[in-house]
Each structure stands twice: as structure tokens, then as C-alpha cells.
């Protein structure tokens, strides 16, 4: 391919558009935009493609779904429910499943795509968090991502409730309980959603409008803004040979990235279609229509709501009675606190880290998670917090299958929700330090070659060879973690802003957060001041001549 100008496949259409719209230069420039080549950058594509599939399958389902709670007698193809009185919403869902050609397949594809949409966003957000890709100038895009995840949970909740079966009705009852427990505004919100006393006659139609119009419209706007900002700010890239904050090493948008993305979309669609074909999900005909007097045993929400279910199950029965009003803390705390901790923590973290470290520089190189032990440990603590709550959302199944008392699983869960994140933090921190030391050994001592050599005096040694240049560049790209200046002169007098309690707290947090920025040096020395382990002789580095020889015994 000639480097003198754009490829013919770009130049032709660009000239055609430029002659008519004057946008040819814009098209040429952006079609040659370079994207970094790393597998983790495609995790966000899973969520994007799942959303596209959701829009397509959701449009199909709207042709036959009737968002009404009016009562009808079922007379469709599913024999066990013939003659049973149910809502039009439930009857139309049964009709889609059994009487519309391809209806059940599209329903299941839609449901699996919804699960993959949320899962894709979660994994993508974890990748961004652990690599520090939320830092300046991408804080706004990170906030948009947090909003997208929050809206996706609300979209899943409203869509889950639409079939009006017994399982979704149980979840809707929990939603009503949470809404009505809110101080001052709870009854107003409940009446707005349900149109009167629970269950009312309007909740399905109102959830339907929210599910197919309001939230998807906001999601489309935010996804568009997210992609535009990513395009303008350029993508972060993993560290390595030739990669800096001032360049992007990768392949152009056309044809490389477009071909890769097209194939990835087909792969994503294929996986979802296979799941929809062979993995049954949400068989509403087995649950029956919803009636407020009934409830199904062993009912579980979709995975993304499991952590809220778990928090409700382990919460003690606490309530506060004050001035004639009751605050049901057993509902308010599990419904609002876990979500508040996770979402608020995610939204504020970029700014909290900037405040702690004082780092206001731009970052276009992603971090390896091991190179920022405290950030990685905080992330794993949040995952442990979420995972424990999610697991305890099935405490009845755990109790039944493993023959453990339900009270025992609940009590263990109440302890684990505090102990688990702390343990995850400590284990992750030690693993990060260990991996950094392994990197140091790799650079300073080389790679094991598997060649054993016996010396004249009988000692056996293994020959170590120099590691590949790309690997060395990746390890040596470890940045130092910035820290604020807590003292301005040799006498240790702190700056004016660091003399109050908040300033001293900030200085202490900054010192702790950046304490391992020099713990693993690559010049053959350990920094004992920062990590407390500098008590050994520095190992000899691998030279450019003879490979290093490591003794393995006599």
C-alpha cells in the first residue's frame, strides 16, 4: 500500500462526498484514525453490539406485546393454562412464545442480549478502572459510563417486569416495597408508578413506556456521546515498545478496525443466537400469571440485580419509629446503600485519586494493574463486596443444596460482607507486589532457558537468556505513582494547605497511595524506605554478553 496518500477505497468515496458536501477531508482523516491493537479494548464492543441486538429484537417484540393489565381468559396453544384468567401482557407474552413464528427464539435472544449488555459494560468498566483509563482527560467519559450502567440496570428491571408472570411480579413487589419505604416521597412515587394501590392497573403500561422509549432514548444519546468523546480524545493504549503518551500504535479504522469490529459483531450475535436457541431462559409458562397472593419458591432475579437481593436477605429487621413515622431500615439500607457505595464510588474515584495524588497531567498510556497496587486492591474489594452480596441472593438455594441451616448462611453472610472485602484487599495487594518483583527478576536475571550446565567443580546451573525487547519495554514502562508535596522546606514544615486536619489526611493518603511507586526498581536495587523489604543484596543484571547462570545445586 502506498504511503503517499489514502487508499483508493477511501480516496474515491471521499472525493465523491467532498464534491457534494465538502466533507471529504474530514472523511479521509477519520477513516485513517489509528486504533490500538489489544484484546481488552474489544470488551466494550460486546456491550455495544448487545445493545444493537436489543434494539432489533425489542422492535420485533413490540409488534405483538400488549402492555395492558386488563384481564382475559387465555385460549392459546399452551394447554395447561387454557381458560386461566390473566393479564393481557402475560397472555400476549405466551402468544409470542408459542404462536408467533420465531417468537420464542427472539424473546430468548432479547433476554440473553440484555444479560450480555450489562455484563459487557461491567467487564469494560473494570478494564478501564484497573488500567487507570479514567484519568484526565477522560473523567467525563467515565461519568457517562457510570450513568450508562445505572440506566442499564433500570432498563433491565422494567423489561423484566413486563411479562407480568409470577416471577417478575415477585420482583415488582420488592420494587414497590422499596419505593414506598422512601421517606416523605415514597407514597407519591408508588402511586405514580402503580396508579393507585398495589398492584394497580397501570404499572405495566408505564414500565413499557419507560422501557421502550425513555431509557433507550437516553442510552442512545449517552452511547453516542461516549463514542464521540472516545474518538476525539483518542483511545488509551497499553504500555510497550514505542508507545508513549504522544502517539498511538495500532491499525487504522479502515480497513483493519472495521473488519475486526464487523467480525466481532457477527461473533457476538452468533453466541447470543446460540444461547437463545439452546439455553432456555425465563420460561414464564412454568411460573403462571402473577397474583399478589402467590409467590414462587426459590425465585432469583437476573444476575445484575442479585446483589440487591442478597443485601435484603442478610439485613437484620431494623426500623426506626420517630414522631409517628416509621423508617424501615431493613429495606432502605439494603436497597440504597450497596448501590450508593458502588455507583457513587465509581463516579467519584477519578476525582478522589486526583485529589490524593495531586496528578493533573494527561494520561494516554494505560497502567498494568500490578503497577498500582492500592487501586487494584480497592477494585478487587469492590468486586468481593458485590460478589458476596450476589452469592447471598441465593442463600435459600445454598441452604437447600448443601444442607446448611438458612440462619447459618445468613449469619456467615453478615460477617463475610465486612471480612471479605478486607481480605480481598490484602491478598490483591500482596499479589501485585509479588508480580512486580517477578517483573524485576525477569529484567535483572533474564528468562529461564531450560538449558542445564555442569561446572568443572560439579555444580549444576541453569542458563538464563535475555528477555525479548517488547517484554523488557513493557516492564520498564512502569510509571511512578505521583504524590503531593507535604513539606516545602528542609525543616519539614508543610505547605499552608496541608496544616489543617483535612490537609494532613490528604498528605497521609497520598503517601500511602504512592508508597509502592519505587518499591520495585529496575536498576538492581530494592528500595527499602518505601516497602520495608530492602534487606538483601542487589542481584546482578543480565549482561549483553554471556547469559546469566543460576545455581540449582550440586
Amino acid at each position: 500500500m502506498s504511503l503517499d496518500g489514502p487508499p483508493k477505497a477511501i480516496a474515491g468515496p471521499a472525493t465523491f462526498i467532498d464534491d457534494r458536501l465538502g466533507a471529504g477531508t474530514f472523511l479521509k482523516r477519520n477513516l485513517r484514525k489509528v486504533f490500538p491493537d489489544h484484546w481488552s479494548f474489544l470488551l466494550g464492543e460486546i456491550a455495544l453490539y448487545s445493545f444493537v441486538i436489543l434494539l432489533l429484537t425489542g422492535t420485533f417484540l413490540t409488534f405483538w406485546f400488549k402492555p395492558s393489565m386488563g384481564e382475559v381468559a387465555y385460549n392459546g396453544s399452551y394447554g395447561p393454562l387454557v381458560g386461566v384468567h390473566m393479564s393481557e401482557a402475560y397472555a400476549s407474552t405466551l402468544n409470542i412464545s408459542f404462536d408467533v413464528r420465531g417468537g420464542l427464539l427472539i424473546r430468548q435472544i432479547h433476554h440473553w442480549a440484555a444479560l450480555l449488555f450489562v455484563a459487557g459494560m461491567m467487564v469494560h468498566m473494570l478494564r478501564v478502572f484497573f488500567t487507570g483509563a479514567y484519568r484526565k482527560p477522560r473523567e467525563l467519559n467515565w461519568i457517562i459510563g457510570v450513568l450508562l450502567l445505572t440506566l442499564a440496570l433500570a432498563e433491565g428491571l422494567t423489561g423484566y417486569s413486563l411479562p407480568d408472570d409470577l416471577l417478575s411480579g415477585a420482583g415488582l413487589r420488592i420494587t414497590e416495597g422499596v419505593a414506598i419505604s422512601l421517606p416523605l416521597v415514597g407514597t407519591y412515587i408508588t402511586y405514580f408508578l402503580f396508579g393507585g394501590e398495589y398492584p394497580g392497573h397501570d404499572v405495566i403500561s408505564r414500565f413499557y413506556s419507560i422501557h421502550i422509549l425513555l431509557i433507550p432514548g437516553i442510552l442512545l444519546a449517552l452511547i453516542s456521546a461516549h463514542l464521540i468523546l472516545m474518538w476525539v480524545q483518542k483511545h488509551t493504549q497499553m504500555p510497550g515498545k514505542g508507545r508513549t503518551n504522544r502517539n498511538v500504535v495500532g491499525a487504522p479504522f479502515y480497513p483493519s478496525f472495521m473488519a475486526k469490529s464487523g467480525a466481532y459483531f457477527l461473533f457476538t450475535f452468533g453466541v447470543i443466537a446460540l444461547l437463545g436457541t439452546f439455553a432456555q431462559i425465563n420460561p414464564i409458562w412454568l411460573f403462571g400469571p402473577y397474583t399478589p397472593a402467590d409467590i414462587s419458591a426459590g425465585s432469583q432475579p437476573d444476575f445484575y440485580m442479585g446483589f440487591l437481593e442478597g443485601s435484603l436477605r442478610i439485613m437484620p429487621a431494623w426500623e426506626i419509629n420517630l414522631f409517628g413515622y416509621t423508617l424501615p431500615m431493613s429495606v432502605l439500607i439494603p436497597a440504597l446503600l450497596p448501590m450508593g457505595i458502588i455507583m457513587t464510588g465509581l463516579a467519584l474515584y477519578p476525582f478522589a485519586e486526583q485529589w490524593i495524588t495531586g496528578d493533573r497531567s494527561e494520561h494516554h498510556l494505560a497502567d498494568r494493574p500490578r503497577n498500582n497496587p492500592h487501586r487494584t486492591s480497592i477494585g478487587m474489594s469492590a468486586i468481593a463486596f458485590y460478589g458476596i452480596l450476589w452469592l447471598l441472593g441465593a442463600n435459600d438455594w445454598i441452604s437447600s443444596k448443601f444442607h446448611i441451616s438458612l440462619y447459618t448462611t445468613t449469619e456467615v453472610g453478615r460477617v463475610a460482607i465486612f471480612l471479605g472485602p478486607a481480605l480481598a484487599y490484602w491478598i490483591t495487594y500482596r499479589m501485585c507486589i509479588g508480580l512486580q518483583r517477578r517483573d524485576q527478576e525477569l529484567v535483572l536475571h533474564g528468562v529461564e532457558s531450560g538449558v542445564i550446565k555442569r561446572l568443572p567443580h560439579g555444580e549444576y546451573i541453569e542458563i538464563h537468556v535475555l528477555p525479548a525487547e517488547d517484554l523488557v519495554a513493557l516492564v520498564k514502562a512502569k510509571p511512578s505513582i505521583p504524590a503531593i508535596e507535604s513539606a516545602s522546606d528542609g525543616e519539614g514544615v508543610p505547605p499552608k494547605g496541608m496544616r489543617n486536619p483535612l490537609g494532613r489526611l490528604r498528605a497521609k493518603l497520598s503517601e500511602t497511595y504512592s508508597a509502592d511507586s519505587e518499591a520495585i526498581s529496575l536498576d538492581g536495587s530494592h528500595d527499602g524506605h518505601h516497602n520495608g523489604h530492602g534487606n538483601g543484596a542487589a542481584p546482578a543484571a543480565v549482561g549483553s554478553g554471556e547469559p546469566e547462570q543460576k545455581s540449582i545445586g550440586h
Side-chain angles (χ1 to χ4, degrees):
M1 180 185 298
S2 174
L3 299 179
D4 297 333
K8 185 177 180 181
I10 295 178
T15 302
F16 178 88
I17 293 175
D18 192 45
D19 290 343
R20 289 154 181 83
L21 302 177
T25 302
F26 172 84
L27 187 63
K28 291 178 184 178
R29 182 178 68 252
N30 285 281
L31 285 178
R32 299 300 290 169
K33 185 178 179 66
V34 175
F35 280 77
D37 188 15
H38 194 273
W39 65 269
S40 65
F41 297 139
L42 292 173
L43 293 174
E45 308 287 323
I46 296 175
L48 177 62
Y49 301 149
S50 298
F51 182 67
V52 173
I53 295 169
L54 279 171
L55 293 179
L56 296 175
T57 54
T59 302
F60 176 90
L61 295 174
T62 58
F63 294 152
W64 287 277
F65 181 73
K66 296 179 180 178
S68 170
M69 298 182 71
E71 188 174 289
V72 297
Y74 179 70
N75 60 355
S77 300
Y78 187 65
L81 291 178
V82 171
V84 175
H85 289 266
M86 58 186 65
S87 67
E88 285 190 278
Y90 185 68
S92 64
T93 308
L94 289 174
N95 179 58
I96 292 172
S97 302
F98 295 107
D99 298 302
V100 174
R101 188 180 295 275
L104 180 59
L105 175 63
I106 298 300
R107 262 198 67 230
Q108 300 213 142
I109 288 177
H110 188 74
H111 202 130
W112 279 114
L115 298 182
L116 199 61
F117 176 52
V118 179
M121 279 197 292
M122 287 181 172
V123 176
H124 174 62
M125 183 166 282
L126 288 175
R127 197 277 303 173
V128 172
F129 178 84
F130 284 124
T131 61
Y134 52 77
R135 292 172 294 180
K136 184 181 178 181
R138 297 175 179 83
E139 302 98 330
L140 180 59
N141 226 1
W142 173 258
I143 297 296
I144 291 175
V146 175
L147 291 175
L148 283 171
L149 181 58
T150 307
L151 286 171
L153 298 182
E155 177 78 342
L157 174 64
T158 54
Y160 186 79
S161 305
L162 291 182
D164 201 30
D165 60 288
L166 187 58
L167 183 61
S168 66
L172 197 59
R173 181 63 172 178
I174 296 175
T175 304
E176 186 264 347
V178 171
I180 204 170
S181 67
L182 296 173
L184 302 178
V185 298
T187 52
Y188 297 99
I189 293 175
T190 304
Y191 270 65
F192 173 75
L193 286 177
F194 294 92
E197 291 287 345
Y198 178 86
H201 298 283
D202 299 323
V203 65
I204 296 299
S205 59
R206 292 180 181 183
F207 270 28
Y208 183 71
S209 299
I210 294 171
H211 183 73
I212 72 165
L213 291 176
L214 180 61
I215 297 181
I218 300 175
L219 285 173
L220 274 173
L222 289 177
I223 289 173
S224 299
H226 191 73
L227 294 175
I228 290 172
L229 280 174
M230 183 274 295
W231 191 279
V232 171
Q233 293 172 344
K234 79 179 183 178
H235 212 296
T236 57
Q237 60 182 343
M238 296 301 291
K241 185 179 180 181
R243 295 179 175 91
T244 69
N245 270 314
R246 297 181 177 273
N247 68 359
V248 178
V249 178
F253 177 72
Y254 179 87
S256 177
F257 188 78
M258 285 183 64
K260 184 188 300 181
S261 295
Y264 206 56
F265 172 78
L266 295 176
F267 179 76
T268 304
F269 176 75
V271 169
I272 294 175
L274 286 173
L275 287 171
T277 303
F278 297 107
Q280 179 176 273
I281 190 170
N282 199 23
I284 60 162
W285 53 89
L286 299 180
F287 309 139
Y290 176 66
T291 57
D294 298 330
I295 189 169
S296 57
S299 58
Q300 304 293 326
D302 282 334
F303 85 93
Y304 49 84
M305 287 296 179
F307 75 108
L308 294 178
E309 177 83 5
S311 64
L312 279 169
R313 295 193 182 199
I314 66 172
M315 183 67 191
W318 293 349
E319 65 179 33
I320 298 175
N321 294 291
L322 192 64
F323 304 117
Y325 293 94
T326 299
L327 287 177
M329 307 307 291
S330 57
V331 177
L332 282 174
I333 290 178
L336 302 181
L337 190 61
M339 180 76 78
I341 291 175
I342 294 174
M343 294 304 176
T344 306
L346 286 172
L348 296 181
Y349 195 87
F351 309 99
E353 185 180 79
Q354 188 179 94
W355 179 75
I356 290 172
T357 63
D359 180 17
R360 289 177 170 78
S361 59
E362 290 194 2
H363 295 271
H364 302 291
L365 274 180
D367 287 341
R368 299 175 78 196
R370 68 186 66 180
N371 290 338
N372 196 314
H374 288 288
R375 178 206 294 151
T376 304
S377 300
I378 290 170
M380 289 305 299
S381 295
I383 292 174
F385 176 76
Y386 175 91
I388 291 170
L389 289 179
W390 173 82
L391 185 64
L392 291 170
N395 65 342
D396 53 345
W397 280 101
I398 295 172
S399 176
S400 174
K401 299 299 182 183
F402 293 96
H403 305 289
I404 304 172
S405 168
L406 183 62
Y407 297 102
T408 300
T409 60
T410 303
E411 293 298 331
V412 169
R414 289 172 180 172
V415 175
I417 198 59
F418 296 100
L419 183 61
L423 190 60
Y425 187 99
W426 182 81
I427 292 174
T428 304
Y429 182 83
R430 299 314 309 169
M431 288 179 65
C432 288
I433 296 300
L435 289 170
Q436 288 188 44
R437 295 195 179 282
R438 181 184 175 189
D439 287 343
Q440 184 191 47
E441 293 294 323
L442 179 70
V443 173
L444 299 181
H445 294 282
V447 181
E448 296 176 354
S449 66
V451 178
I452 307 300
K453 181 180 179 181
R454 184 179 182 183
L455 299 181
H457 60 275
E459 180 183 8
Y460 288 92
I461 59 172
E462 182 180 16
I463 304 299
H464 282 213
V465 297
L466 292 173
E469 290 185 8
D470 291 345
L471 187 57
V472 174
L474 177 64
V475 173
K476 288 190 174 183
K478 176 186 182 299
S480 60
I481 303 173
I484 59 174
E485 293 290 338
S486 57
S488 59
D489 55 38
E491 299 179 359
V493 178
K496 184 177 181 180
M498 297 294 150
R499 297 172 190 172
N500 54 47
L502 182 61
R504 290 194 293 271
L505 173 63
R506 183 187 179 193
K508 184 63 178 177
L509 289 174
S510 184
E511 179 184 0
T512 302
Y513 197 79
S514 61
D516 297 291
S517 60
E518 298 175 4
I520 308 300
S521 60
L522 297 174
D523 59 358
S525 62
H526 296 261
D527 191 331
H529 173 72
H530 287 273
N531 59 23
H533 297 287
N535 55 2
V542 179
S544 58
E546 289 295 324
E548 186 181 78
Q549 300 174 351
K550 185 176 181 181
S551 173
I552 61 174
H554 292 276

